[in-house]
Amino acid sequence: MRYLLDTNIFIYWVTDYKLLSRDVRAILDDYDNTFCMSAESVKELIVGFNNGKLVTRYWKTAKEMVNAIREKFYIRILPIGEEHMETYAQMELNLTEDHKDPSDHIIIAHAITNRIPLISSDKKFKFYEKQGLELVFNEK
């Protein structure tokens, strides 16, 4: 099965595996599964790395990190296209919980458009299930 990894799930996978629930670890450990990340998540990781917020002993540069996403973790980086922007433009946003993060919205639109279950720890994402998001929630 194919899964889209939210940025936080990749960070936990790399830096603190214990923050992943048993169910999510089982998905990540199943070699029959295929993992993808939105280019938006990769952008968030690069920004975090370059700003010193993503501290890791594994990579010396953001480029090394991007290469590792593909070559070590075998994660396919999905480009953002017009169809994702159309989904994003039509989404009802979770303003009740003050969810204004445009990167999150792009990642959610990616999952909805491509019909890929999204693995995330973000509780605000549950709001988007009624709009077609299939969410695998990581209960930390």
Side-chain angles (χ1 to χ4, degrees):
M1 184 157 181
R2 254 183 353 156
Y3 292 92
L4 188 70
L5 304 179
D6 191 13
T7 313
N8 59 53
I9 297 301
F10 179 74
I11 292 169
Y12 299 157
W13 191 4
V14 172
T15 63
D16 195 351
Y17 201 67
K18 295 180 304 248
L19 292 174
L20 298 170
S21 69
R22 185 179 339 178
D23 292 341
V24 169
R25 285 191 303 247
I27 291 169
L28 294 174
D29 291 341
D30 187 338
Y31 290 107
D32 289 331
N33 291 327
T34 301
F35 302 106
C36 306
M37 284 177 71
S38 171
E40 187 69 20
S41 286
V42 178
K43 181 202 84 173
E44 286 186 314
L45 290 166
I46 292 168
V47 169
F49 188 92
N50 288 338
N51 290 335
K53 293 181 181 177
L54 179 60
V55 178
T56 176
R57 62 180 186 247
Y58 303 105
W59 308 294
K60 292 184 175 134
T61 66
K63 184 176 182 194
E64 283 182 19
M65 178 181 60
V66 173
N67 288 338
I69 289 168
R70 290 190 312 258
E71 296 166 10
K72 181 181 179 197
F73 291 92
Y74 303 103
I75 296 171
R76 183 170 173 229
I77 300 171
L78 303 178
I80 300 166
E82 290 178 38
E83 64 276 17
H84 305 108
M85 293 297 103
E86 288 177 15
T87 300
Y88 180 24
Q90 296 173 34
M91 283 172 40
E92 176 188 350
L93 302 182
N94 184 359
L95 300 179
T96 305
E97 294 181 85
D98 199 36
H99 189 220
K100 296 179 182 176
D101 185 335
S103 290
D104 284 353
H105 300 150
I106 295 292
I107 294 164
I108 292 165
H110 221 139
I112 292 170
T113 303
N114 291 44
R115 294 183 173 89
I116 303 173
L118 174 62
I119 304 174
S120 180
S121 294
D122 195 323
K123 292 178 181 174
K124 294 177 183 177
F125 284 19
K126 291 180 180 185
F127 173 86
Y128 301 93
E129 289 178 313
K130 66 182 179 187
Q131 298 178 62
L133 176 65
E134 186 178 342
L135 179 64
V136 177
F137 184 70
N138 178 58
E139 188 73 50
K140 295 188 283 182

